[in-house]
Amino acid sequence: MDQQQVLEMLVELCEDEIIVENPDIDLFEEGLLDSFGTINLLVEIENRFNISVPITDFNREEWNTPNRIAGKLAERQ
Amino acid sequence: MTPYGNIAFFVIIGLLLLPTILLGLRGKSSKRYNLFISVIVLALIFGHSLNGTISLVLFTVFQVVLIVAYQRYRLQQNSGTIFIIAVLLSILPLILVKVLPILGLHHLFGFLGVSYITFKAVQMILETRDGLMKEKISVVELVYFLLFFPTVSSGPIDRWRRFTKDFHTVPSSEDYQKLLLSGINYIFVGFLYKFILAYLIYNYTLIYLPNHTYNYLTPFQGQLAYMYMYSFYLFFDFAGYSAFAVGVSRIMGIQTPINFNRPFASRNIKDFWNRWHMSLSFWFRDYVYMRFVLWMTKKKWLKNKFAISYIGFFLLFFLMGIWHGLEWHFVVYGLYHALLIISFDKFERWNKKHKRWPKNKWTHAIGVIITFHAVCFGFYIFSGTLF
């Protein structure tokens, strides 16, 4: 898994190219992700990278930007 | 004694907190002392009724045994059935409190704050299931968390991992000064909201509305005035209480999450639920809606992802509605909000394709106005005056 794959996944989920242009964008503030989007994200993370993130561990303050999500996933690999 | 109900309560906790403040300002730990005064304050809050005290003690022992037992079990095994049984046992007392009065068994069991303690207890079970509770939990700390007196009666609902981190941190003298100042600030906001604004709204408008308007208002205008005044009253009263709870927590070194973030400035209904009674709506979001949607998505019983999400919204708001009480207006209040959220979600997705509703300050302002009135109508249903 690399940064690029995470960004691609997020572009597909949020249907917005802005994620590649600005990987420090706050996904929740900008309305790109909500609780429903989060679930799809967790399912995709498990399918693509085989990393299981419990919902209770997904803290919006720490998982709010594409770069941070990539960082968090790298930690868990 | 009702927490934050009268001046005597503030004087008593003010005096009890003096040593906490002195220790904090010297950069020393006030953990032990805070545990000690908690027992005193809990006795003040619950001690007036023997029935209530016994209920509280038995209930707390029950929840603690359940949490510790489930945690021990989870370290060895992880069966879904045991997990469901643990959750059901944890909410059983709350269900009894809500259902027994309907069966005519009043005051058999029940006390202030039973649902807020339940929310925290269920949270412990769910996080244990998710494998986030690997370390041994100290029983004293767990009881302190469940019965943390500043928030014991009506929240905000804290999270264990956040709480325990604060509990074990001894702030430096400088950090404590900041905590203390913001705590005092919150308490004064609480006075303004609850004892001035909510009090004035209640005594100068709500006691006359909707029907006793002395012919100044038509019956329809009376209902309308009631709807808005009741909404403001609800906000100032509960946000005031929450500010007291957050303020006192901070003085004790615990940064209890805030409950309200200018909810009447919400730009849409989703935004509203991120700003109104936040600790409750986040609890339902994380532990009901998200868990349900994830579970349904993994089981693949329904192909349509959005249908799953909408069933999830109905479940969330239905539960939130009946949690307020098993009465029709609470059920309808819940379903009304589920409909609002689903309609908005459909609109949001439609707009993502068609881009008819741009993002600018005008659409923002219109969004705030629509949301405000829709929300006030919800509180009107909630008030029970409609039916």
Side-chain angles (χ1 to χ4, degrees), chain A residues 13-16 28-32 34-40 42-44 46-47 52-58 60-62 76, chain B residues 123 126-127 130-132 159 161 165 267 270 274 285-287 289-294 297-298 305-306 308-309 313 345 348 352 359:
Chain A
L13 280 171
C14 306
E15 296 168 351
D16 207 321
F28 292 99
E29 281 286 303
E30 295 300 318
L32 292 162
D34 53 13
S35 3
F36 180 60
T38 304
I39 298 294
N40 294 322
L42 297 183
V43 172
E44 278 303 308
E46 197 161 345
N47 289 344
S52 159
V53 182
I55 303 174
T56 28
D57 216 12
F58 186 96
R60 285 190 188 203
E61 277 90 58
E62 292 169 14
R76 276 155 206 263
Chain B
Q123 176 207 136
L126 295 178
E127 303 221 336
D130 283 355
L132 300 171
R159 302 282 170 110
R161 280 176 291 151
K165 215 158 126 194
R267 63 185 192 277
K270 280 188 186 172
N274 286 330
R285 178 192 75 196
D286 295 351
Y287 300 127
Y289 172 84
M290 290 180 69
R291 279 191 110 78
F292 173 81
V293 173
L294 183 66
T297 308
K298 282 189 170 166
K305 282 201 287 186
F306 299 109
I308 297 177
S309 166
F313 281 132
D345 191 78
E348 211 179 18
K352 210 166 189 174
K359 227 181 173 178

Side-chain angles (χ1 to χ4, degrees), chain B residues 118-157:
Chain B
T118 303
F119 284 129
K120 292 187 197 170
V122 173
Q123 176 207 136
M124 298 294 291
I125 306 268
L126 295 178
E127 303 221 336
T128 306
R129 160 81 168 174
D130 283 355
L132 300 171
M133 302 281 177
K134 295 219 170 68
E135 286 151 47
K136 199 167 176 283
I137 297 173
S138 126
V139 170
V140 174
E141 216 174 304
L142 178 59
V143 173
Y144 188 58
F145 170 66
L146 293 175
L147 301 182
F148 186 55
F149 84 80
T151 63
V152 75
S153 62
S154 313
I157 308 156

Side-chain angles (χ1 to χ4, degrees), chain B residues 331-384:
Chain B
V331 176
V332 175
Y333 168 75
L335 298 181
Y336 170 76
H337 269 286
L339 274 180
L340 287 185
I341 288 253
I342 293 169
S343 316
F344 176 72
D345 191 78
K346 279 189 179 286
F347 166 76
E348 211 179 18
R349 281 194 292 124
W350 173 85
N351 191 48
K352 210 166 189 174
K353 262 192 205 150
H354 297 87
K355 310 235 184 292
R356 293 279 173 80
W357 187 254
K359 227 181 173 178
N360 61 42
K361 60 179 180 184
W362 295 107
T363 56
H364 186 114
I366 295 168
V368 170
I369 293 168
I370 297 174
T371 309
F372 171 70
H373 294 286
V375 158
C376 289
F377 187 72
F379 290 137
Y380 182 54
I381 301 174
F382 181 83
S383 74

